[in-house]
Amino acid sequence: MPKHDTPLMDELEKGPWPSFVSDLKRQAEKNPECWDILGQMELSYKDKITHWKHGGIVGVFGYGGGIVGRYSDSPDKFPGVAHFHTVRLNQPSSKFYSTEMLRKVCDLWEKHGSGMTNMHGSTGDMVLLGTRTEELEPLFFDLTHELKWDLGGSGSNLRTPSCCLGKARCEWACYDTQAACHTLTMHYQDEIHRPAFPYKFKFKFSGCANDCVASAARSDFAVIGTWRDNIRINQDEVKKYISGELKAGGGIADSFGAFDIKKDVIGHCPTGCMWMEGGDLKIDDAECTRCMHCINVMPRALRPGVDQGATIMMGAKAPILDGAQLATMVIPFVKPTADNDFEDLIEVIEKAWDWWMEFGKNRERIGETMQRVGLPSFLRVMEVEPIPQHVKEPRCNPYVFWEAAEVEGGWDRDIKEFRERHKM
Amino acid sequence: MALSIEELKAAILEKALNGPKPQLYLKDFYACDPDSKPRVIKKAANEMVTEGKMVFWSSGSTTMYAAKGRAKDEESRGT
Ligand code: SF4
Ligand code: SF4
């Protein structure tokens, strides 16, 4: 029986799509505090302001992350959500669950919390929505002892790493994203569970430039699969796409009309490095940016090269201080491998962390620190030689600043002596 | 020369107890010993949370430290 009148929320049950309001009402029959979620949201819709307060010292012993304190600012009206803390669970790599584990976690959450979940939060965690402070330690005990499952990251911690399906299901994965994600999650347990940085830091692993976990937009450290040699071309299969025997993009492109290799493949190559010659498709691989477009359209004819690895990009973030920004390519090619426990990635990560922990300002993402000091300075920190692909646009500053080390013979400068002669 | 871990913990606690700000970012403790690396300061501050002398305060997106009893706590305001 509804506890509050919720005409505005009820509107969200209309239409053909699934509704979280219907889900909440169904859950409220079992767990009446869910009526107060609906009541408080209705009030927020009327007042056009949130009635949640967030933050606090809630957590479980020894952990500085994984639980986000949330409280109602109207606990007298909505006692069921007076405390409504969020719990983040570290999802398995690629989010492969057994139904048995999903049932167990749902049962556990109905015992200790609202029963409402968010599958998944934007960082990648499974999110359990809404519990009281006194339930946190019992929940954590059951979670870790019975389900052998751990919390994810929050606050100024390393956030729960996430990865694409990778080699488990995808022929395009250029390295083992799941192994990288799992290995680094285990390696950096302390950084995930206890704050370490000026602000949050996220790793994401995609097996190719299709970037199914949106690492280039949503992580401070994006590892994106690529290859160094040439795209593998099967000219017989190219001809089958041209003749219509094979459907472009597995048939997904049918709605755009008949396949036209010039328009649909060559014309969409961002670097214009493809052409037809005597019935064969040609690629100037030195100019190819490994964007994956042509491979997506003709997967039977084109495949990534065989010398595979990954590009490391850094500094993406959502708009908090300076606005949203995409990642910047920092290391063009590494070969991440479980054979050396991904030490090539670890070396780059720790170099960046040591610098950012020292020079990053409070609440400054590493991308903002990079932007503040400029890419040339950041590349020096990372000990990377600049290459043309690091250049975003032609220079508009006519001055060239040289470091002493870049000039033959260098120079010495005594600023005190200079100021003696040139008073400020 | 860098402080020992126990000296560092004492300096951090002194700042957390008697500094003007009740809640501090990890970086605010760097000044407790300019010779200690940020990772060592992080380790010392986090150990003091485990020892029960300090607490974490988190907004969800960022985390601060406070001496026990000095943090702004929603629950102690009866919510
Ligand atoms: S990012 Fe690439 S490798 Fe990973 S699942 Fe997507 S298409 Fe496959
Ligand atoms: S991968 Fe992208 S850049 Fe490379 S040839 Fe194909 S469409 Fe062009």
Side-chain angles (χ1 to χ4, degrees):
Chain A
M1 187 58 200
K3 187 172 157 192
H4 308 280
D5 271 344
T6 55
L8 296 173
M9 301 304 295
D10 298 346
E11 283 294 312
L12 299 177
E13 292 189 278
K14 296 179 184 164
W17 41 81
S19 165
F20 73 93
V21 175
S22 305
D23 290 350
L24 274 166
K25 287 181 178 172
R26 199 178 59 196
Q27 184 64 15
E29 296 298 337
K30 267 198 212 166
N31 196 341
E33 73 197 38
C34 292
W35 292 124
D36 282 345
I37 310 177
L38 284 164
Q40 175 160 311
M41 286 186 74
E42 180 78 14
L43 187 63
S44 289
Y45 276 44
K46 271 195 203 129
D47 295 349
K48 297 188 169 52
I49 191 167
T50 182
H51 285 286
W52 293 119
K53 297 190 293 181
H54 68 113
I57 55 175
V58 291
V60 292
F61 187 69
Y63 276 43
I67 292 165
V68 182
R70 204 171 298 279
Y71 302 90
S72 168
D73 72 359
S74 312
D76 300 338
K77 282 191 206 129
F78 308 110
V81 294
H83 295 196
F84 204 69
H85 309 318
T86 297
V87 179
R88 294 184 181 164
L89 303 191
N90 192 327
Q91 81 286 3
S93 290
S94 309
K95 306 187 178 80
F96 287 161
Y97 298 97
S98 65
T99 44
E100 187 195 356
M101 285 305 276
L102 288 174
R103 284 184 206 288
K104 280 186 180 168
V105 79
C106 289
D107 289 345
L108 191 70
W109 191 229
E110 286 194 330
K111 180 174 161 199
H112 293 293
S114 73
M116 297 301 298
T117 64
N118 173 3
M119 302 282 276
H120 292 74
S122 50
T123 298
D125 307 89
M126 181 195 283
V127 180
L128 308 181
L129 294 165
T131 191
R132 298 188 59 80
T133 306
E134 59 273 19
E135 288 292 340
L136 292 172
E137 287 291 353
L139 165 75
F140 183 64
F141 186 90
D142 289 351
L143 182 74
T144 47
H145 289 76
E146 286 175 23
L147 272 63
K148 311 278 183 232
W149 203 331
D150 207 347
L151 298 180
S154 68
S156 306
N157 300 26
L158 173 62
R159 299 304 184 81
T160 316
S162 74
C163 63
C164 75
L165 297 172
K167 288 192 184 280
R169 299 211 51 183
C170 185
E171 66 191 40
W172 290 328
C174 291
Y175 71 98
D176 190 343
T177 56
Q178 294 180 306
C181 186
H182 181 75
T183 304
L184 294 190
T185 300
M186 300 312 284
H187 186 79
Y188 289 122
Q189 281 291 295
D190 195 47
E191 284 76 3
I192 292 173
H193 297 311
R194 278 159 285 277
F197 308 119
Y199 203 18
K200 63 181 89 165
F201 195 93
K202 301 183 182 185
F203 297 156
K204 290 192 192 295
F205 304 92
S206 280
C208 77
N210 283 329
D211 199 8
C212 292
V213 283
S215 64
R218 295 169 52 172
S219 66
D220 303 272
F221 189 86
V223 184
I224 302 179
T226 192
W227 60 95
R228 261 193 303 208
D229 53 350
N230 298 340
I231 291 182
R232 285 173 282 172
I233 308 180
N234 181 328
Q235 298 292 357
D236 293 337
E237 301 290 327
V238 172
K239 291 185 179 73
K240 287 186 195 163
Y241 281 105
I242 294 172
S243 71
E245 190 181 335
L246 287 174
K247 298 271 187 209
I252 201 168
D254 269 5
S255 49
F256 302 110
F259 176 67
D260 173 351
I261 195 165
K262 284 219 170 70
K263 176 165 96 29
D264 298 327
V265 179
I266 297 173
H268 284 153
C269 171
T271 58
C273 68
M274 310 179 89
W275 70 97
M276 293 299 294
E277 199 175 293
D280 282 352
L281 179 67
K282 300 280 183 191
I283 300 175
D284 179 359
D285 287 90
E287 297 298 328
C288 162
T289 60
R290 281 72 176 153
C291 78
M292 291 296 292
H293 173 73
C294 56
I295 299 174
N296 291 336
V297 179
M298 303 196 298
R300 294 275 289 268
L302 302 174
R303 295 162 73 195
V306 290
D307 186 8
Q308 300 183 340
T311 296
I312 297 177
M313 299 179 72
M314 295 180 68
K317 62 173 208 70
I320 301 272
L321 293 182
D322 277 348
Q325 80 192 27
L326 289 171
T328 299
M329 193 281 288
V330 177
I331 315 267
F333 193 82
V334 286
K335 277 202 170 273
T337 164
D339 295 348
N340 62 9
D341 292 330
F342 297 94
E343 68 179 24
D344 294 10
L345 298 183
I346 289 172
E347 190 188 317
V348 182
I349 289 165
E350 300 201 350
K351 206 178 279 175
W353 279 354
D354 283 345
W355 172 78
W356 178 51
M357 286 172 80
E358 196 160 346
F359 297 103
K361 294 182 185 172
N362 290 325
R363 292 177 61 83
E364 186 176 61
R365 293 283 283 270
I366 197 167
E368 288 157 339
T369 318
M370 286 162 62
Q371 207 169 39
R372 182 160 56 79
V373 302
L375 193 61
S377 306
F378 182 66
L379 292 180
R380 269 196 290 278
V381 170
M382 298 305 291
E383 298 173 273
V384 174
E385 274 294 314
I387 55 172
Q389 286 82 351
H390 285 124
V391 179
K392 190 168 146 207
E393 59 199 37
R395 62 185 298 138
C396 55
N397 177 346
Y399 295 95
V400 176
F401 294 94
W402 301 98
E403 298 279 321
E406 291 168 332
V407 177
E408 203 178 331
W411 67 78
D412 288 324
R413 194 163 76 128
D414 182 343
I415 193 77
K416 270 198 184 140
E417 186 271 339
F418 178 82
R419 283 282 164 237
E420 286 292 306
R421 291 182 287 113
H422 298 260
K423 302 263 185 246
M424 293 257 270
Chain B
M1 211 180 73
L3 298 178
S4 71
I5 193 94
E6 290 310 319
E7 289 167 329
L8 188 56
K9 283 186 188 172
I12 289 173
L13 191 58
E14 161 65 23
K15 183 159 187 159
L17 281 171
N18 301 320
K21 289 193 279 179
Q23 291 173 200
L24 296 134
Y25 290 106
L26 180 63
K27 228 177 142 65
D28 297 335
F29 295 124
Y30 288 6
C32 292
D33 181 20
D35 292 333
S36 287
K37 288 262 176 220
R39 275 167 190 263
V40 178
I41 291 171
K42 171 204 104 173
K43 188 166 172 260
N46 288 347
E47 272 180 22
M48 286 197 318
V49 175
T50 314
E51 290 164 11
K53 293 180 184 140
M54 303 228 298
V55 292
F56 294 125
W57 184 95
S58 176
S59 67
S61 67
T62 190
T63 311
M64 301 179 87
Y65 295 78
K68 205 171 168 105
R70 277 197 95 187
K72 183 175 78 170
D73 184 6
E74 299 295 349
E75 282 175 59
S76 63
R77 298 180 200 175
T79 51

